[in-house]
Amino acid sequence: MLITSVRIRRRIPAGEMFQMCGIAASVLKNGEVGPVLYDCLKRLEYRGYDSVGEASVVDGKITVKKDKGKIEDVERELRISGLKGRVGIGHTRWATHGAPSQENAHPHTDCANTVAVVHNGIIENFMQLRQELEAKGHRFKSRTDTEIVAHLVEEHLRTGKGFVEAVRFAATKLTGAYALALICASEPDKVVCVRKESPLVVGTSPTGNYCASDIPAFLSRTNQVILLEDDEMAVLTADNVKLVRIDSGEELRREPFKVEWSVETALKTGFPHFMLKEIHEQPLSVRNALRTQAIYLDLMASAMSKAKKIFLVACGTSHHACLAATYAFSNLAKVAVAPVVGSEFIDSYGALVDQETVVLAVSQSGETADTLSAVRGAKDRGATILGISNTMGSTLTRLSDVYIGQNSGPEMGVAATKTFTAQLSVLIKLAVALARKRDIIRKSQLEEIEAGFGQLPNWISMILSTQQEQVKSIVEKYSDRSSFCFLGRGISVATALEGRLKLLELSYLPAIAYPAGESKHGFISVVEEGYPVIFAAPKDESYSRIIGNVMEMKARGARIISIVGEEDDDVSKLSDETIRVPSGIPTMLSPIVYILPLQLFAYYLAVRKGYDPDFPRNLAKSVTVH
Ligand code: AGP
């Protein structure tokens, strides 16, 4: 769907974009596909709502109706629900970068209008494929990565392959993450779907078959579901679903299972709350964040390398991502940056801001009033504005000279979880890009971090699968405490602050967080017998000093809960409770992993206390007032 994760205002004219989207497809025995797809797309709207489209095949011809705008607006304008035919595909888009437009809306078609495709994900090698296809005479209508799929299938159809084989061969050429659904004018009885690392589910019923990004799309029509696995295709006809392995073409057998969920539960994919669902999405959302293309990081790094002053401006969780990134900018890129909360920026630093200043603003929503007023104030003073946001088209992206999408997909829980780890992933990639630009990063350091980026999704999955019960049992033991303290050193100060924020916003407890070394300058007076102190204690350069802090707390009767590496001996021996994370995580990346147990801790404590973690009192997802 996308073509790039960043747009450079003033320098790159055309809109280019990453997206997180919903796709739907259906093959009916009777009736028209238009209203069915429209209904499915309405149910997928939470996945995206900046443009929408449908395509169907009738009398050997493909018809496409699509435009930017919310689904109801596009319906009013184009009557997409009026699309005729029994076989069709649909798409609702959520751009993580760039202005929505009619040409970039899905479905996309090939030169001869024989193939139409909808897509969710990121095709990483689209640029190279596009050049190859253009050299063969293909003409592109959009700037998306998705369109190359239609042309690639067309290319294979030209060699005499059938539709299914053409799609299969095309899929073997793609790298990245994608869920695709395609129709073909010359084989009008079927939809072909492909899955790699982006969700795709099939629904079967006596009256027709369906495919979608998520079960709620078709749950009102059927609860018989087949989950597609990575590197598999599904061929849907009105009375059959055939599963095929992409690499070998071998046919697979898998029986549908019955989904007992209500639509509401299905929206949360079976999790009791969006927050828990989003915590569990992090292996994928971090991987997507890390897909930010090097060229755009490099453009941001250029602006930063020329600046005399650099401020990282954000609020709440986004500020904590900036705090952790400050450590990475200083240790990797050897560049001093000042992290400042949005509400304080102009009062405290406005007088320093000029044309040689870069303000890197980070905001999940891109609409936080305090961050935006800092950005506007800095812009008025001539600063270059860089933006990292999860919401393309937001005010922050419109105010930014350069912006990058963090590709997390919509976050429904008020407490930021997956967007924190995604922001930090992008920020650390940016620190690496800056270090490379300044030619000061050691080869071994670079290799360690690059290998760490590759491992991050696995490390996160490992914690989610091995430590959840341990976290729950600690919550049980400590659920009656009236306060908690979170301590860390170095980059883990950010982890401690973020762990505290999660706990206090969800459990309404007056929690405390400190740099561990600072704790003896005041906080220690609070500690008494049984007071729970939570340490984020990776085995990094501050490890020997944090042992001292643990002993100081223990000596005053604190109960020590530590998050440590698998290899840890010393801190764990001093601890009353230990949560283990995988060993070998580079320091720079440790908050992205160490925050997981703290997110789970805050979640389960809130649930234990009978609070709704998705809707904490007095808080809004996007704080648009000063
Ligand atoms: C975090 O859990 C909170 N919901 C809040 O602190 C949030 O991070 C803050 O309001 C900033 O939001 P933004 O990233 O959308 O700018």
Side-chain angles (χ1 to χ4, degrees), residues 43-198:
R43 293 166 194 277
L44 288 174
E45 206 176 1
Y46 71 94
R47 296 180 69 95
Y49 34 76
D50 59 46
S51 54
V52 66
E54 289 185 11
S56 68
V57 53
V58 185
D59 297 334
K61 274 204 185 116
I62 287 179
T63 306
V64 178
K65 290 186 175 195
K66 63 177 187 176
D67 206 349
K68 67 176 179 179
K70 290 199 163 191
I71 186 163
E72 272 145 9
D73 299 335
V74 177
E75 169 67 1
R76 251 193 308 279
E77 178 205 351
L78 298 176
R79 273 265 302 136
I80 51 175
S81 69
L83 207 68
K84 302 283 181 217
R86 307 217 189 295
V87 176
I89 54 179
H91 189 268
T92 175
R93 175 177 163 242
W94 187 77
T96 55
H97 168 73
S101 70
Q102 202 266 345
E103 66 174 11
N104 290 325
H106 297 212
H108 292 283
T109 52
D110 61 335
C111 301
N113 207 39
T114 49
V115 177
V117 58
V118 289
H119 169 216
N120 172 29
I122 298 160
I123 295 168
E124 287 168 359
N125 60 339
F126 78 94
M127 200 70 100
Q128 176 210 332
L129 290 171
R130 181 169 171 146
Q131 280 162 4
E132 287 169 15
L133 288 160
E134 280 176 336
K136 288 179 182 163
H138 290 262
R139 291 288 161 259
F140 284 76
K141 299 177 278 283
S142 77
R143 295 184 59 83
T144 64
D145 58 345
T146 305
E147 194 184 338
I148 60 123
V149 179
H151 293 275
L152 206 52
V153 173
E154 179 181 37
E155 192 60 24
H156 286 291
L157 288 172
R158 281 180 190 168
T159 67
K161 289 188 184 72
F163 178 37
V164 178
E165 277 301 272
V167 174
R168 190 170 78 76
F169 273 81
T172 61
K173 301 275 181 244
L174 306 176
T175 58
Y178 44 85
L180 304 165
L182 301 98
I183 53 173
C184 179
S186 55
E187 295 189 37
D189 62 328
K190 57 178 74 81
V191 168
V192 179
C193 310
V194 183
R195 179 201 153 124
K196 188 179 179 205
E197 289 180 31
S198 286

Side-chain angles (χ1 to χ4, degrees), residues 462-480:
M462 233 183 270
I463 293 169
L464 293 173
S465 59
T466 64
Q467 297 302 303
Q468 204 150 219
E469 290 311 311
Q470 171 68 348
V471 172
K472 275 194 219 170
S473 76
I474 298 172
V475 164
E476 273 310 308
K477 275 194 208 167
Y478 294 85
S479 61
D480 61 343

Side-chain angles (χ1 to χ4, degrees), residues 176-250:
Y178 44 85
L180 304 165
L182 301 98
I183 53 173
C184 179
S186 55
E187 295 189 37
D189 62 328
K190 57 178 74 81
V191 168
V192 179
C193 310
V194 183
R195 179 201 153 124
K196 188 179 179 205
E197 289 180 31
S198 286
L200 203 56
V201 289
V202 170
T204 66
S205 84
T207 54
N209 293 312
Y210 308 88
C211 178
S213 305
D214 253 342
I215 295 168
F218 52 66
L219 193 56
S220 62
R221 296 188 151 72
T222 179
N223 60 6
Q224 296 295 315
V225 173
I226 300 173
L227 301 181
L228 273 194
E229 303 289 343
D230 283 344
D231 302 306
E232 290 179 359
M233 291 167 56
V235 181
L236 275 54
T237 51
D239 46 23
N240 191 33
V241 172
K242 186 168 102 174
L243 302 191
V244 176
R245 273 204 63 82
I246 293 173
D247 53 1
S248 60
E250 172 203 347

Side-chain angles (χ1 to χ4, degrees), residues 497-514:
L497 286 163
E498 176 59 8
R500 185 268 305 257
L501 173 58
K502 291 291 87 87
L503 184 110
L504 64 80
E505 71 179 323
L506 299 181
S507 294
Y508 319 140
L509 293 178
I512 295 164
Y514 258 98

Side-chain angles (χ1 to χ4, degrees), residues 315-318 362-366 368 414-416 423 501-502 505 623:
C315 300
T317 291
S318 301
V362 180
S363 171
Q364 185 284 130
S365 61
T368 298
V414 167
Q423 282 167 344
L501 173 58
K502 291 291 87 87
E505 71 179 323
V623 183

Side-chain angles (χ1 to χ4, degrees), residues 3 9 58 68 72 85 161 172 279 286 293-294 328 331-332 357 409 451 458 479 501-502 532 557 584 594 596 600:
I3 194 157
R9 286 194 180 273
V58 185
K68 67 176 179 179
E72 272 145 9
K161 289 188 184 72
T172 61
I279 288 174
V286 163
Q293 292 186 13
N331 283 280
L332 278 180
T357 303
N458 298 338
S479 61
L501 173 58
K502 291 291 87 87
Y594 278 68
L596 264 286
L600 289 168

